[in-house]
Amino acid sequence: MESQTIDIAQSARASWMSLLAKAPTSVLIAAVSQYTQQYGLLPAYTWLRRPEIGLAMVRARTGGTGQQFNLGEMSLTRCALRLSSGQMGVSYVAGRDAQHAEWAALFDALMQSDSAKQIEQMILVPIRHALAAQRVLAEARAAVTKVDFMTMVRGENE
């Protein structure tokens, strides 16, 4: 029973960390601005690991299920911080955006605090909507390129 609770909590955290990492910068800036307008300054924290930019090896599988191979490297920014109330936030963000990584770690920590519901509504919901809109746009762009192949039967083959 206890392990199920831990699994659910880990799954929920993985979900919001994924959203924060994938958040479009413009949406994240708007959400932070809204947060500071409503609550004032962002909460105080201490760095456990300042934002660091590095590389990560991206691996893939042949055919999606076959043998693994190194696809290439991508830049990655990571950081970790601790709120004055004790919650720890961590982030790994694709690219070289230290500010994005810092905000993602901060909101990860806040999602583990008593203000999780406010952060969910103010930060995560707009990110979800923005990512869904991006997905719809990408699907529409891809749909335009769809080709329907039709085989015609020639009369001499009957």
Side-chain angles (χ1 to χ4, degrees):
M1 188 75 154
E2 185 177 317
S3 69
Q4 284 181 328
T5 305
I6 292 171
D7 290 344
I8 291 169
Q10 286 176 342
S11 176
R13 186 171 184 207
S15 176
W16 78 61
M17 288 178 77
S18 175
L19 279 174
L20 290 167
K22 294 174 187 172
T25 303
S26 60
V27 174
L28 199 54
I29 289 170
V32 169
S33 176
Q34 182 183 356
Y35 181 92
T36 56
Q37 286 175 0
Q38 188 162 354
Y39 296 107
L41 296 174
L42 293 171
Y45 56 85
T46 56
W47 286 113
L48 300 175
R49 172 178 283 138
R50 290 190 173 275
E52 300 173 330
I53 297 170
L55 293 173
M57 180 59 69
V58 178
R59 301 202 66 184
R61 289 186 179 274
T62 307
T65 58
Q67 179 127 1
Q68 284 190 347
F69 65 96
N70 293 337
L71 184 63
E73 294 178 332
M74 67 177 278
S75 59
L76 182 79
T77 306
R78 69 178 182 175
C79 69
L81 54 81
R82 185 181 311 276
L83 296 177
S84 57
S85 56
Q87 292 83 6
M88 186 176 80
V90 177
S91 72
Y92 288 81
V93 177
R96 303 174 56 89
D97 191 345
Q99 184 65 68
H100 185 158
E102 179 181 350
W103 285 338
L106 177 62
F107 292 126
D108 172 42
L110 287 171
M111 281 297 294
Q112 299 170 63
S113 71
D114 294 337
S115 57
K117 288 186 193 265
Q118 292 90 347
I119 298 301
E120 172 80 26
Q121 290 303 310
M122 195 173 295
I123 308 296
L124 298 184
V125 168
I127 292 171
R128 273 192 200 102
H129 291 309
L131 291 175
Q134 280 182 345
R135 194 169 26 259
V136 167
L137 184 61
E139 289 171 358
R141 285 184 185 151
V144 171
T145 65
K146 182 179 178 183
V147 177
D148 289 324
F149 292 96
M150 182 174 73
T151 305
M152 296 184 66
V153 178
R154 295 174 61 176
E156 60 198 46
N157 293 339
E158 292 180 16

